[in-house]
Each structure stands twice: as structure tokens, then as C-alpha cells.
Amino acid sequence: MTRHGHVLLPPVVLTVQVLGYATLRHLYLAGFGPDRSLPDDAHLPTALLWLAAFGLIGTLTALAATYALLRRARWWLAAPLVALLCVPALLTSLASLYVFAGCRGWI
Amino acid sequence: MPRATIDRPRTALLGTLAILLAALAGLAALSDPPLLAADAVAGRERRAALALRDPEIPFFTWGTKLYTVSNLAPSYAEVRYFTEFERGEHREAVLAAAVDLLTRYDEVDVFLAVHGSWYVAWFASLPRDLTRRLRLVYSTGCGDFGQADQWLSLGADAFVGHPGELSASPVFYVYFLRRWVRGRPLAEAVRAANEKAGNRLRLVDEEIARQTTAKLAGATGLTLGAPR
């Protein structure tokens, strides 16, 4: 992974982000959409779980991909991938963790 | 002449750390810096909260419940939360919950995440010896500050609402609720939330920022932890 991280990790970052948004959409539609299948008691725990999981996995993959790109990729590949993929992914994931911490009353 | 070499692992590590720090700083600047809890938990056993979300798109409905319940729960002995999918559908349940809470707790705070609301009329149908236990009422409804006198005459100690008819109240609410449940005095919580929300909204539209400004009627010195 270390040697080929700059090739393998950016698609992983993208996949985590896409899956994160897909599960979020599924979550809020299951709770509050037309077909409400999620019980009331599950709204909060599932939301907090999503925030923590997406935040943590998204942050770690974005940081790992950034490091791998900066370390091994050519600059013309690293610059756009870091700026257009890794940094936005890092921001959304950290925002998720920030909201989680706020909702837990930690900050 | 020897070529200067770059220590790629070290440069990559420093670059990654710099990006992480910049992201954290940007996030704190764009959102709300961490707040320390004050004496918010004092007297938790004597107060309850009732909150209601009126019809909105599923994502907003999800976010409102997540934010409201998770912020209220640590600071109130009991929280009742209602989500309407059609306006007014939970009238009887909301009033039954209000009577129950007002009977069992000395102080009941009401949070209305609603568009221009008629809910004051619901509460007006309750006995005055119960509604006098209402303490803080907050409504996100556009123009709902016009109901301040009605809420105060029901017995609420304070009302916070938005006079503007084009108010982006949820932005204010995010900043306000965090401060209120952490024990900030009501007037200070309203002032800080107005300032924060105004700063953000002015980046989008000056007029919306102006109309979002919330006003406070009643007991300006109210705090969550202090007895009435």
C-alpha cells in the first residue's frame, strides 16, 4: 500500500465519500422520507453513528491519500488530486466529526 | 555541482499536517469555535423541554431532530420532540405532552423549529396555572416575534423570535441553542447568535442577514441553570 498508495488511495477516498453520502441519504429518507421505516428511537443513535463513522473513515483516508500523493506522485497529478479530492473530502469528514462532537456536548 | 535533494517523506508529512491544520482552522472559522460548558447542568431535574419541527424536506427534518434533541437532552430532565409531516397533525399529542410536562416540572422551555407559526393559539387553550410555568419560548418562524406579547401574557418568562418575514432562522438557531444549553445568559446568547449568524449571512445577502436578526422579549437575564 505504501509504494502504490498514491494510485490506490484516491479512488478509496472517492468511494468513501460517495458511500457516505449514499448512506446519509438512505438514513434521512428512512427516518423522515415518504416511507418511514426507521423507528423514532433509532433516529438519534443512527445519526450519531453515521457522523462518527463517516467523519473518522473519511478523515483517515483523506489524510492517507494526501500523504501518499505528496510523497510519491508527480506534482501535476498530486496537485489537482489533493486540491480537488483530498481537501474537500477532509473538510466534509472533519465537519462531520465536529458536528458529532458538538452533538455529544464535548465542544 | 551536487543537486539539492528533497526529503520526500518528511516534506509529505509536513505538507499533510499543514493541510490538516488549515482544514481545522478553516472549519472553526466557518462554523462556531468550541464552547466550554458552564453551569448548564445545575437544576436539570426541575426543567423539561418541548420541541416541535413542522414539515420540511427530509434532510432538514433529520438535521433538526439530531441537533435539537442531542443538545437539549443533557440539560433537561425530559425532552419531548415532535416531527410534523403535515402541519398541525400532532396538535392533541403536543398539548397532552405540554400539560404533562407543565404539571410535573417547575420550568418548561419550548423550541419551535417552524415556519410562521400558530402554535401560540394551541398553548392559549391550556389553563393559565399551567402555562405560567413556561419559561423560554423560541420560534424560528418568520415574523413570529409579533407573538411575543401573546406568549408573555400566557406566562412565559421570555420569548425569542424573528421579526423579519424572510428570516434564515436556522442559522441563528444553531448558534443560539448551543449557547443557551451551556448556561449562557439569554441576552448574551441572543446577541452572540445574532452576531455570528449575521456575519455568515452577510456573505450571502445583506438583506437576509438583517431580517434574520432575532429579538428578545421578557426576562433578558434568564439563564438555564438559575432558578426563576
Side-chain angles (χ1 to χ4, degrees):
Chain A
M1 182 65 98
T2 306
R3 179 167 290 277
H4 301 292
H6 63 295
V7 178
L8 297 174
L9 283 170
V12 172
V13 171
L14 188 62
T15 305
V16 167
Q17 295 297 308
V18 170
L19 283 178
Y21 293 123
T23 50
L24 171 62
R25 185 172 184 276
H26 180 75
L27 201 58
Y28 67 68
L29 286 178
F32 302 99
D35 304 312
R36 295 184 285 278
S37 54
L38 199 62
D40 275 9
D41 291 348
H43 290 163
L44 214 55
T46 52
L48 290 170
L49 180 66
W50 182 87
L51 287 170
F54 176 73
L56 208 56
I57 297 168
T59 299
L60 291 176
T61 52
L63 287 174
T66 303
Y67 175 78
L69 285 164
L70 292 180
R71 180 168 177 182
R72 297 222 180 259
R74 297 186 185 279
W75 70 267
W76 50 263
L77 183 66
L81 280 177
V82 168
L84 299 176
L85 176 66
C86 296
V87 170
L90 183 62
L91 281 172
T92 54
S93 306
L94 285 175
S96 184
L97 283 180
Y98 200 80
V99 173
F100 174 78
C103 287
R104 299 295 299 166
W106 297 338
I107 56 172
Chain B
M1 188 174 154
R3 289 177 60 189
T5 57
I6 299 174
D7 182 357
R8 285 285 296 255
R10 189 161 184 267
T11 308
L13 188 62
L14 289 176
T16 305
L17 283 175
I19 287 172
L20 175 62
L21 290 176
L24 286 171
L27 199 61
L30 285 173
S31 57
D32 198 15
L35 296 174
L36 297 176
D39 57 347
V41 178
R44 183 177 182 267
E45 67 286 348
R46 66 170 182 267
R47 60 179 175 263
L50 190 152
L52 186 144
R53 161 82 268 177
D54 72 352
E56 251 299 349
I57 60 171
F59 180 67
F60 285 174
T61 312
W62 178 83
T64 308
K65 182 170 183 179
L66 167 65
Y67 188 74
T68 301
V69 177
S70 60
N71 271 286
L72 292 179
S75 299
Y76 291 85
E78 195 168 339
V79 177
R80 299 280 185 89
Y81 186 91
F82 295 88
T83 301
E84 288 185 345
F85 295 96
E86 289 178 30
R87 289 203 85 183
E89 67 173 325
H90 294 317
R91 184 181 190 278
E92 300 309 320
V94 169
L95 288 179
V99 168
D100 182 36
L101 296 178
L102 290 163
T103 305
R104 292 188 294 116
Y105 293 94
D106 295 337
E107 301 158 350
V108 175
D109 293 345
V110 176
F111 298 88
L112 300 169
V114 297
H115 300 280
S117 79
W118 59 53
Y119 302 96
V120 65
W122 291 8
F123 283 80
S125 68
L126 299 178
R128 290 297 177 274
D129 63 327
L130 286 181
T131 56
R132 69 178 172 73
R133 292 185 172 185
L134 288 170
R135 190 176 57 165
L136 167 66
V137 179
Y138 169 67
S139 173
T140 61
C142 295
D144 272 7
F145 188 73
Q147 300 171 352
D149 288 343
Q150 290 170 269
W151 282 108
L152 296 182
S153 69
L154 287 179
D157 290 358
F159 178 80
V160 177
H162 302 265
E165 293 294 339
L166 193 65
S167 172
S169 310
V171 182
F172 171 88
Y173 180 54
V174 166
Y175 294 115
F176 170 67
L177 186 63
R178 272 164 61 75
R179 285 164 173 77
W180 170 250
V181 297
R182 283 166 176 78
R184 305 294 193 269
L186 184 58
E188 185 194 319
V190 170
R191 183 202 56 75
N194 272 332
E195 183 185 321
K196 294 270 182 187
N199 288 343
R200 300 294 173 272
L201 290 169
R202 264 189 288 280
L203 298 173
V204 181
D205 188 299
E206 182 72 35
E207 180 59 16
I208 290 180
R210 192 183 65 76
Q211 294 215 24
T212 300
T213 303
K215 289 180 76 174
L216 161 61
T220 56
L222 205 64
T223 59
L224 182 68
R228 302 166 93 173

